[in-house]
Amino acid sequence: EPAPVTVRVLGAVQMVDASGEVRDVPGRRLQALLARLVSQAGQIVSVDALVDAVWPDGLPDAPDAALQTQVFRLRKRLRFPGAPTIATRAPGYALELGAATVDVIEFERGVRATIGAESSVARTRLHDALSLWQGAPYTGFEDVPPLRAEQVRLEEFHLQAIEAYAEALLACGEPNRVITGLDAFVLEHPLRAGAQATLMRALAASGRDAEALRAFQA
């Protein structure tokens, strides 16, 4: 059975077909259109909202017609087996995924599936979910407020997932992997007390009490 088509917005905006071939979406405007539709996959995104995303630097002449042209171009890019489709639905358009998947949706689903799970199950699911994170979501679209808001929300969710993975590793008796994973993390995010505490417990569990105490003092 072929793999489902995947739409990627973690890192570069692109698609991967059933054979594993990457299908790039050329040009900032087409990428913005796809990204904005992905951010509300299955829901109607209004013409106005899509125009604002595709032309954040100033509206074109006849914006409705200009958007129709971009939608036509993106639909041509989606003419391959298993690809999502763009449905015209008043007052705008909706991305219908069908059997296709979106990396950021699968990431969130994978992390949420660990809530209440036993430690070894959580460890596996979080590892798989975190492996989908190939870069910040919606990179390059910080000038589109709805996508910027999603970026902020998802990046916080990603940090929480890293912390939860470290907790699961520690609960599974793997303190050295926790230390390896969190050493740089706590330097980059010094105010995340949960990660600091997990690192201290991992250092203590691996017999590095002096380092645990230094981490506590820091």
Side-chain angles (χ1 to χ4, degrees), residues 152-164 166-167 182 184-200 215 218:
V152 170
R153 182 185 72 81
L154 289 163
E155 286 179 334
E156 171 60 26
F157 194 69
H158 179 230
L159 297 179
Q160 292 173 3
I162 292 171
E163 292 170 338
E167 280 286 335
L182 286 185
F185 182 87
V186 296
L187 289 173
E188 192 175 346
H189 306 281
L191 301 180
R192 298 190 75 88
Q196 298 276 6
T198 304
L199 178 58
M200 283 184 268

Side-chain angles (χ1 to χ4, degrees), residues 3-20:
V5 171
T6 300
V7 183
R8 290 180 179 168
V9 293
L10 289 167
V13 174
Q14 54 189 196
M15 290 173 289
V16 181
D17 66 20
S19 69

Side-chain angles (χ1 to χ4, degrees), residues 9 13 23 35 66 70 76 83 87-88 97 100 117 123 153 157 185 197:
V9 293
V13 174
R23 292 176 176 254
Q70 296 298 324
K76 284 179 71 175
T88 303
L97 290 174
R123 174 187 58 181
R153 182 185 72 81
F157 194 69
F185 182 87

Side-chain angles (χ1 to χ4, degrees), residues 119-156:
S119 297
S120 62
V121 174
R123 174 187 58 181
T124 300
R125 288 178 180 168
L126 285 163
H127 175 272
D128 292 347
L130 287 165
S131 70
L132 296 172
W133 192 274
Q134 299 296 311
Y138 306 111
T139 302
F141 302 109
E142 290 77 12
D143 53 354
V144 180
L147 295 184
R148 178 58 186 151
E150 270 296 273
Q151 193 176 53
V152 170
R153 182 185 72 81
L154 289 163
E155 286 179 334
E156 171 60 26

Side-chain angles (χ1 to χ4, degrees), residues 123 168-179:
R123 174 187 58 181
L169 285 173
L170 190 57
C172 291
E174 300 184 67
N176 289 325
R177 288 183 67 190
V178 176
I179 295 163

